[in-house]
Amino acid sequence: MNVKQQLEALLAPLAAVVAAAALLWGLSAALLPTARSNALAERDAVFRTLLPGSETFTPEAYDGGDGVISAVYRGEGGYVIETVTGGYDGDLTLWVGVGDDGRVTGLMTRDLSETWGLGGNALRDTGFLGQFLNTAGQAEVGVDVDAIAGATVTSRAVAAGVNAAVAYVTGADISSGATEWGG
């Protein structure tokens, strides 16, 4: 086979690969709005669980005054606040539902990279996470909340996220160590 024949033999498979890639890219671009819509619907379903009685959630601008808070969503009965705190082995992201009265209505660990079987239990340990429900912030591990066994740093990170979320709603200044909630 000469060089021209070898090139012609390579062009057909190469053209097929390029055509397949273009088709996949086109399908991906066409499905992107549907994927975004599905992701928002899934997020809102979780938010409705975290903040019972609320149906719609509107993102609110946040000035970044508290570095723990990364996003704020307003519902009819309160807020769902996304917090990011440093755990033992990386960041821990929470969604915290807080009613207009400043009480925690729901809590979900959204993302973490803690040690499996220890701090990783903050992802699914309902007994631990449930301790924060109906509290009004200022939860202190070892005093108000029992830590996850072997995961004190992770437990404190969760408490810091919950406390920051409640402080956003109530206007408390948790950085000063104040014990009275604002309003």
Side-chain angles (χ1 to χ4, degrees):
M1 214 192 280
N2 66 29
V3 174
K4 182 178 179 184
Q5 292 171 328
Q6 289 175 344
L7 283 175
E8 288 174 354
L10 288 175
L11 283 178
L14 182 61
V17 168
V18 168
L23 178 65
L24 289 174
W25 178 81
L27 286 172
S28 173
L31 293 174
L32 188 59
T34 301
R36 284 187 183 146
S37 175
N38 289 345
L40 285 175
E42 184 177 325
R43 183 203 70 191
D44 284 352
V46 171
F47 282 7
R48 283 191 289 279
T49 301
L50 297 175
L51 191 63
S54 294
E55 290 297 318
T56 58
F57 300 90
T58 307
E60 283 200 352
Y62 181 65
D63 67 2
D66 184 339
V68 170
I69 296 173
S70 61
V72 175
Y73 303 90
R74 177 74 169 126
E76 291 85 6
Y79 298 83
V80 174
I81 299 171
E82 182 176 272
T83 64
V84 179
T85 55
Y88 179 77
D89 195 28
D91 286 341
L92 186 105
T93 304
L94 303 173
W95 278 341
V96 184
V98 182
D100 286 329
D101 64 354
R103 295 246 175 241
V104 176
T105 58
L107 171 64
M108 176 184 160
T109 306
R110 183 153 190 272
D111 189 34
L112 59 78
S113 59
E114 301 296 272
T115 306
W116 185 253
L118 294 172
N121 289 339
L123 187 61
R124 66 189 178 287
D125 188 335
T126 56
F128 168 71
L129 297 173
Q131 296 177 91
F132 294 96
L133 294 178
N134 206 30
T135 63
Q138 294 184 319
E140 186 179 340
V141 173
V143 176
D144 308 301
V145 176
D146 293 329
I148 297 171
T152 304
V153 173
T154 303
S155 300
R156 286 183 179 150
V158 171
V162 170
N163 292 343
V166 171
Y168 174 84
V169 175
T170 62
D173 180 9
I174 61 172
S175 65
S176 71
T179 56
E180 294 299 316
W181 289 106

